[in-house]
Amino acid sequence: MQDKKRIFSGMQPTGVLTLGNYLGAMRNWVALQDEYECIYSVVDLHSLTVRNEAKELRERRLSLLAQYIACGINPEKSIVFMQSHVSAHAELSWVLNCNTYMGELSRQTQFKEKVSKHKDNINAGLFTYPVLMAADILLYQTDLVPVGDDQKQHLEIARDIAGRFNGLYGNVFKIPEPYIPKVGARIMSLQDPTSKMSKSDENSNAYITLLDSPETILRKFKRAVTDSEAVVRYDLEEKPGISNLMSIYASVTGKNLDDIRQEFEGKGYGDFKAAVGEAVAETLRPIQESYNELMAARDYLQDIMKKGAEDANRIARRTLGKVYRKIGLQ
Ligand code: TRP
């Protein structure tokens, strides 16, 4: 029996991570590696729900793997792999599709949002996306899934599918629980601090990416939206911009909000923004160095992918075999 609880999570290879992805999710994934048995996937099959250039997708999935590792995911400790390298994901996904109701998928808020955004490509994959996600999680008999608010409903669907399947066929799947981090930073847009920082924002000044140069980082913070009070204090209602910058600063320096308020007492926003920009650039510097090294060492990345796929495949096949036996395909 394994003694550590198992964690599974994944991100889509849609581009470079933002500071929000890093502080809100990735840094947490890194921290979980000591206490849990972690499995982190680059969920490249999920990204087929939108159209991609083959060449770009190939590059983005490798880049995301390199970003995982540059941020501190340790392939010696955790299983890191490409979803498409483990065919059990697609196989289990089909079985689960046949055990999922149109009705429960119709209630997804994310699908409704995507439909209104991608009117020209409302494909069936977009609709059954949570079923593939359920397959990802259930294949590994996952205990805990660290997910943001936007994915809670999908995890709920995975739990429902698993519970129903177990009800019909006996105990096949572990029912996964959401993992809520003790301190999770929710990083907002630098241009509209009432909405989440997102790399799909039209205005690139709204987000910082993991690979932005120090100059770009300083410039983006300089342009960040604030208010006219000229006092650095935390007040989400009245001062969402400054409060967001304070959260970011707290998150990268480890200082608390009260210390930050005191540090900038009597100083202007210019000084504060420069300090936040410098602290962020300093945090990202070693990550960028490591990323550049990794991207220049493609063979090493290939080796990691290969080993990750083997380890993941071993666990996934066991669950898929169990499923196939229960339903009569074996
Ligand atoms: N749907 C998730 C997202 O867009 C990515 C994802 C796919 C995932 N499979 C998963 C997350 C399994 C956690 C567990 O962010």
Side-chain angles (χ1 to χ4, degrees):
M1 257 336 259
Q2 55 177 108
D3 44 355
K4 285 183 178 176
K5 286 196 169 179
R6 192 176 278 159
I7 292 231
F8 183 97
S9 203
M11 284 187 196
Q12 288 191 58
T14 46
V16 180
L17 299 186
T18 66
L19 184 65
N21 299 136
Y22 176 65
L23 296 176
M26 184 53 73
R27 219 172 45 162
N28 194 37
W29 287 16
V30 172
L32 292 168
Q33 292 180 107
D34 290 325
E35 209 176 320
Y36 298 93
E37 183 190 336
C38 297
I39 306 179
Y40 296 127
S41 183
V42 171
V43 290
D44 51 357
L45 294 173
H46 275 98
S47 58
L48 303 183
T49 52
V50 297
R51 290 195 191 92
N52 300 281
E53 279 294 339
K55 195 163 168 268
E56 278 174 25
L57 179 57
R58 201 171 288 123
E59 191 63 17
R60 281 203 310 264
R61 63 213 267 281
L62 203 65
S63 164
L64 184 56
L65 181 78
Q67 289 172 62
Y68 280 11
I69 296 165
C71 288
I73 302 298
N74 181 349
E76 304 281 317
K77 247 190 234 170
S78 305
I79 299 179
V80 192
F81 76 105
M82 281 301 148
Q83 184 188 31
S84 64
H85 289 177
V86 179
S87 61
H89 290 250
E91 294 173 75
L92 181 62
S93 178
W94 175 252
V95 175
L96 298 182
N97 261 313
C98 300
N99 285 277
T100 305
Y101 295 105
M102 296 292 285
E104 58 190 333
L105 292 179
S106 307
R107 287 190 289 274
Q108 307 165 62
T109 49
Q110 199 170 70
F111 175 68
K112 290 179 199 157
E113 259 168 48
K114 285 180 182 166
V115 164
S116 61
K117 261 195 246 163
H118 306 280
K119 285 210 169 55
D120 58 329
N121 185 15
I122 305 173
N123 59 73
L126 217 48
F127 188 67
T128 60
Y129 180 109
V131 182
L132 179 58
M133 182 164 158
D136 297 342
I137 297 166
L138 300 179
L139 274 175
Y140 299 93
Q141 306 294 343
T142 301
D143 295 286
L144 295 164
V145 185
V147 281
D149 280 341
D150 60 333
Q151 298 296 320
K152 284 216 181 100
Q153 196 180 23
H154 292 164
L155 183 59
E156 212 38 61
I157 295 174
R159 288 166 52 86
D160 289 346
I161 295 173
R164 191 163 52 233
F165 199 93
N166 285 351
L168 284 169
Y169 298 105
N171 265 347
V172 178
F173 299 122
K174 181 165 273 174
I175 310 286
E177 304 280 340
Y179 176 86
I180 318 285
K182 284 169 213 107
V183 278
R186 188 172 151 82
I187 307 300
M188 311 304 279
S189 157
L190 300 184
Q191 292 296 315
D192 169 15
T194 58
S195 67
K196 209 172 129 183
M197 180 180 282
S198 159
K199 62 192 153 209
S200 54
D201 206 306
E202 287 160 16
N203 182 354
S204 65
N205 284 324
Y207 57 85
I208 304 286
T209 82
L210 225 56
L211 303 179
D212 279 347
S213 69
E215 299 75 48
T216 304
I217 294 171
L218 289 177
R219 177 173 48 79
K220 286 180 176 176
F221 277 110
K222 201 168 168 185
R223 295 194 184 159
V225 167
T226 51
D227 54 68
S228 56
E229 192 196 32
V231 177
V232 176
R233 66 181 177 86
Y234 195 84
D235 182 341
L236 271 183
E237 285 286 298
E238 298 293 323
K239 300 164 71 70
I242 285 295
S243 301
N244 186 37
L245 296 182
M246 287 178 81
S247 301
I248 293 173
Y249 193 61
S251 192
V252 295
T253 59
K255 294 176 183 171
N256 69 33
L257 295 173
D258 213 42
D259 291 342
I260 298 170
R261 187 182 52 72
Q262 279 172 26
E263 185 178 342
F264 293 97
E265 212 165 281
K267 295 196 182 143
Y269 285 170
D271 288 347
F272 176 51
K273 286 173 163 184
V276 180
E278 274 156 28
V280 168
E282 205 42 44
T283 302
L284 297 186
R285 197 171 48 86
I287 296 175
Q288 296 180 352
E289 282 169 10
S290 163
Y291 173 81
N292 291 332
E293 278 169 24
L294 287 161
M295 288 304 276
R298 303 244 161 169
D299 288 351
Y300 175 63
L301 289 177
Q302 296 293 345
D303 288 348
I304 290 174
M305 282 200 284
K306 189 162 171 276
K307 176 171 179 295
E310 281 166 11
D311 292 345
N313 196 49
R314 202 169 308 121
I315 305 172
R317 278 284 139 195
R318 211 176 300 141
T319 302
L320 188 68
K322 212 168 170 187
V323 169
Y324 278 1
R325 281 192 293 280
K326 293 285 188 189
I327 62 178
L329 295 185
Q330 235 176 48

